[in-house]
Amino acid sequence: MTNYELRQEKRSIQPEILKNLIWVMFLVFCGSGVSAQVSATIDSTTIKIGEEIRYKMKVEVDTTQIVVFPEGSAFAPLEVIESQKIDTSKNGKKLHLTKEYALTHFDSGHYTIPRQKVIIGEQVFFTDSLKVEVHDVLVDTTKQKLYEIKPLIDVEATFPTSSKSWILWVVAGLFLLGIIIFFVLRKKKRIAQKEEQLPPYERAILTLKEIDESKLLEKDSHKEYYSQLSDTARKYIDEEVYDHAMESTTDELIERLDEEIKSGVLDLDKSTIEDLKKVLKTADMAKFAKSKPDVITAKADRNVIEQVINKTKNAIPEPTEEELLADEEYRKSVANKRRKKQILFGSLGVVSILVIAIVVIVLVKGYHEVVDTVFNHPVKELAESDWVNSAYGSPPVTISTPKVLIRNKYKLTDRQNHILKGNSTFIYGGLTEDFYAGVSTMRVDGRENQDIKIEIGEIVESAVGSFEAEGARNITIKNEEYETLGGASGVKVFGEYKIKDTLTNKNKKCEYQMLYFAENNGLQQILVTYNKEDRYAKSIAERVINSVELKNAE
């Protein structure tokens, strides 16, 4: 074959190879991709404010692939209120995954749920976006009465119903803690006192043993070791020989011991004094010059101190009987003073704990709350009791009160007897007390559904007369139209008066509120009076008045 023919054959082969190469790359690319189906649906395109939309995602994928569903704020502007677990089912080599979300929105308008991103393996798939409408909730004002928004009011912090128990538990806990601390400190103090009550010699030997057990030399604490060693010797000498040994310098102490030996008070040889002087000088160097003698020298110095203490004990003459008696009296005197001091400090500790507990409670709950709780303020207990909601009389009046109202006899006037029949009166307390509540109902005599006109003049006259009969003076009277939350219309009469308190025999200012209704073929009266200066009584009265509702007679 000629060169020309070979070149032509190569040219014809190259396009074929290129085609095959492209096809292979295409197959490889397709084979490495992910075969999956992703879809999303919602159960409704129209909801009311606050209602749920069930958003469901379905994914079909190979069992070997990892699927990541969207979470969090991916559904904005809608809010996710619930995200359920993934429901999985298998069909051959395919997995069917279902993920459901509960969405909502709290403002009306047209919204779009954005397309959601689902990650399968290393590839990203997107769902379609979906449109929804959110409508306002319509209110039928002919059936549902609307009211003005009430202004904000300041509410005093009050104890819960069990506030007194809470205070007692806190005080008891702090008191118990104080007792535990007291006894722990007392135990430590007794141990220290017990050691102090030992004779000076026994106490010095005990201290030397404690120095041995402290392992200060092993810890390389030479300064502390020599400090305790020199203090042990000085303290023993201070108590038995020279009462200024603790504050004296080494030279001053040695000089004083020499004087005691010369005067014959102390029978010690010169070598013992020299050994003591040498150890005290070494201790001074360790304490102030950071000297660190070797362990063998340190232990030898400790033995020297013990020998000095033993020789000093033997060198001190035995005390006379007079000295022993004087010493015993002195010990008793010191013990009595110590006992009195312990009692004083213990009492002060207990009182301090109680004072701290009371101050903390007062700061947290307030002075008046604590005082009223501790001393059982009667009206406070009334306000925090379990209230009763009951219907009284006929036509019935529903009212909420701290205590059940008790039936009371009330005599109608001759004029009232011509118009009204029957009478039901229920009361709690009295007009001279800090809180009083009463309900009276009377039915109209004659035909059903006849109109009753409330005469303000007669009401005011009757109210003033009843108050004056109880001893009230300086009565003020105001009136206005009134409507309950349930829509019952009536008249409100209110004002102030002064009356003598039967307990204190002093005049107190009181306020009253009276409600009159002419409905359900009858007349209903609600009366509440309370001490104006009592911080709990007014809140009780307001709660009682606001709870008043009228019921249709059966």
Side-chain angles (χ1 to χ4, degrees):
M1 186 180 292
T2 63
N3 290 334
Y4 175 78
E5 288 175 342
L6 288 172
R7 286 195 298 270
Q8 289 295 332
E9 186 176 354
K10 288 181 180 179
R11 287 177 183 174
S12 63
I13 291 173
Q14 285 176 357
E16 191 68 26
I17 293 173
L18 185 60
K19 277 184 185 180
N20 292 335
L21 183 58
I22 293 173
W23 177 248
V24 170
M25 290 177 65
F26 176 74
L27 290 176
V28 172
F29 175 78
C30 292
S32 63
V34 176
S35 177
Q37 293 181 7
V38 179
S39 63
T41 58
I42 54 177
D43 63 342
S44 177
T45 59
T46 304
I47 61 169
K48 293 180 181 179
I49 290 176
E51 284 186 341
E52 288 185 6
I53 295 176
R54 307 304 295 187
Y55 185 97
K56 188 180 292 184
M57 274 183 158
K58 292 184 178 180
V59 176
E60 183 179 334
V61 71
D62 292 337
T63 56
T64 58
Q65 298 297 330
I66 297 175
V67 180
V68 180
F69 286 93
E71 292 292 348
S73 60
F75 295 90
L78 275 72
E79 297 181 23
V80 179
I81 56 177
E82 183 184 6
S83 177
Q84 295 186 352
K85 293 182 178 180
I86 300 172
D87 183 20
T88 306
S89 62
K90 190 174 181 182
N91 184 10
K93 294 184 178 181
K94 294 289 185 180
L95 279 179
H96 295 276
L97 307 178
T98 303
K99 173 85 170 171
E100 192 168 336
Y101 303 85
L103 311 178
T104 191
H105 203 282
F106 297 97
D107 196 6
S108 60
H110 297 268
Y111 301 97
T112 299
I113 302 175
R115 60 179 190 158
Q116 298 301 310
K117 181 172 68 174
V118 181
I119 302 174
I120 302 174
E122 296 181 356
Q123 286 189 259
V124 178
F125 293 82
F126 290 93
T127 65
D128 293 332
S129 59
L130 300 170
K131 294 185 180 296
V132 295
E133 292 183 24
V134 182
H135 297 295
D136 288 320
V137 178
L138 298 178
V139 179
D140 188 354
T141 56
T142 61
K143 296 180 180 179
Q144 177 65 45
K145 189 179 178 78
L146 299 179
Y147 304 97
E148 292 291 334
I149 298 175
K150 293 186 177 181
L152 296 174
I153 59 173
D154 294 329
V155 180
E156 292 184 3
T158 58
F159 277 119
T161 306
S162 59
S163 55
K164 185 176 179 181
S165 300
W166 186 85
I167 290 176
L168 292 176
W169 276 110
V170 170
V171 173
L174 290 173
F175 183 73
L176 182 62
L177 179 63
I179 291 176
I180 293 172
I181 295 173
F182 171 75
F183 278 108
V184 169
L185 295 177
R186 185 182 179 187
K187 187 176 181 180
K188 289 183 178 180
K189 196 170 183 179
R190 279 186 173 181
I191 293 172
Q193 289 174 355
K194 203 169 184 180
E195 291 180 357
E196 289 181 0
Q197 288 174 359
L198 291 172
Y201 173 77
E202 283 79 0
R203 197 180 327 128
I205 298 302
L206 179 62
T207 304
L208 290 175
K209 290 181 179 179
E210 290 175 352
I211 293 172
D212 294 338
E213 294 171 357
S214 65
K215 308 293 183 182
L216 290 172
L217 292 176
E218 287 80 349
K219 298 176 184 176
D220 200 28
S221 299
H222 286 72
K223 179 180 179 180
E224 182 65 23
Y225 177 84
Y226 273 99
S227 293
Q228 293 185 18
L229 204 61
S230 66
D231 287 347
T232 302
R234 286 175 177 273
K235 192 169 185 180
Y236 177 73
I237 295 171
D238 184 271
E239 293 177 340
E240 294 287 30
V241 181
Y242 174 48
D243 58 0
H244 293 291
M246 292 298 294
E247 60 266 24
S248 298
T249 63
T250 299
D251 292 335
E252 290 173 345
L253 178 59
I254 298 302
E255 184 180 348
R256 178 69 185 197
L257 291 176
D258 286 337
E259 292 176 2
E260 295 290 335
I261 293 172
K262 290 176 181 178
S263 64
V265 175
L266 191 65
D267 186 16
L268 275 177
D269 57 88
K270 191 68 176 177
S271 61
T272 302
I273 299 299
E274 288 297 325
D275 291 341
L276 175 62
K277 180 178 180 181
K278 183 180 178 182
V279 174
L280 293 180
K281 289 288 186 181
T282 304
D284 291 340
M285 293 295 291
K287 287 190 291 183
F288 305 114
K290 296 182 179 181
S291 173
K292 289 186 178 182
D294 58 82
V295 175
I296 296 175
T297 303
K299 289 184 178 181
D301 289 342
R302 182 260 181 219
N303 294 330
V304 168
I305 293 298
E306 185 175 1
Q307 292 175 7
V308 169
I309 292 172
N310 288 329
K311 291 179 179 180
T312 304
K313 178 179 181 298
N314 297 327
I316 298 173
E318 293 293 328
T320 63
E321 187 174 350
E322 290 79 6
E323 290 175 338
L324 289 173
L325 289 174
D327 186 61
E328 183 65 23
E329 289 295 326
Y330 174 76
R331 289 178 183 274
K332 287 182 179 180
S333 174
V334 171
N336 288 332
K337 288 181 179 179
R338 185 182 293 117
R339 192 178 300 110
K340 290 179 181 179
K341 200 173 182 180
Q342 289 175 348
I343 295 172
L344 176 62
F345 280 108
S347 302
L348 288 175
V350 173
V351 172
S352 299
I353 291 171
L354 292 176
V355 170
I356 291 171
I358 293 171
V359 169
V360 170
I361 295 171
V362 168
L363 291 175
V364 173
K365 297 295 183 180
Y367 171 77
H368 294 295
E369 292 290 336
V370 175
V371 172
D372 293 341
T373 301
V374 172
F375 293 99
N376 295 326
H377 192 293
V379 183
K380 181 180 186 296
E381 288 190 349
L382 194 66
E384 295 177 350
S385 62
D386 295 330
W387 282 48
V388 180
N389 191 43
S390 299
Y392 299 93
S394 178
V397 175
T398 301
I399 187 172
S400 181
T401 54
K403 301 291 182 181
V404 176
L405 305 184
I406 307 300
R407 185 182 290 274
N408 185 50
K409 293 183 179 180
Y410 177 78
K411 187 177 181 181
L412 299 177
T413 64
D414 293 337
R415 186 171 182 278
Q416 289 173 334
N417 279 324
H418 288 296
I419 304 172
L420 307 171
K421 67 175 181 179
N423 166 250
S424 298
T425 303
F426 303 85
I427 65 170
Y428 171 82
L431 290 176
T432 59
E433 298 179 15
D434 286 339
F435 176 77
Y436 167 85
V439 175
S440 294
T441 62
M442 290 168 276
R443 187 179 295 281
V444 175
D445 191 11
R447 294 178 301 169
E448 296 291 327
N449 299 325
Q450 57 182 311
D451 294 332
I452 307 172
K453 187 176 181 181
I454 300 176
E455 295 291 343
I456 294 295
E458 294 182 5
I459 292 172
V460 170
E461 184 180 346
S462 175
V464 171
S466 62
F467 288 161
E468 287 180 342
E470 294 289 337
R473 298 292 181 268
N474 301 333
I475 304 170
T476 62
I477 300 174
K478 301 176 184 178
N479 66 83
E480 63 184 16
E481 294 182 356
Y482 185 81
E483 187 174 352
T484 67
L485 295 176
S489 299
V491 175
K492 179 179 180 181
V493 179
F494 58 97
E496 299 180 1
Y497 62 87
K498 287 185 179 180
I499 197 168
K500 185 171 287 187
D501 193 317
T502 54
L503 295 176
T504 62
N505 205 30
K506 295 180 180 179
N507 286 331
K508 63 180 179 181
K509 291 182 179 180
C510 293
E511 292 185 350
Y512 68 91
Q513 297 184 47
M514 292 189 291
L515 302 181
Y516 286 88
F517 302 95
E519 290 197 0
N520 301 329
N521 213 39
L523 181 66
Q524 297 99 338
Q525 171 188 304
I526 298 91
L527 170 61
V528 175
T529 68
Y530 54 91
N531 185 351
K532 184 179 180 181
E533 297 174 352
D534 191 293
R535 52 187 164 275
Y536 304 104
K538 185 173 182 179
S539 63
I540 295 176
E542 292 293 339
R543 182 175 173 182
V544 171
I545 289 296
N546 291 333
S547 70
V548 173
E549 286 295 345
L550 306 185
K551 285 189 174 182
N552 293 325
E554 297 180 357

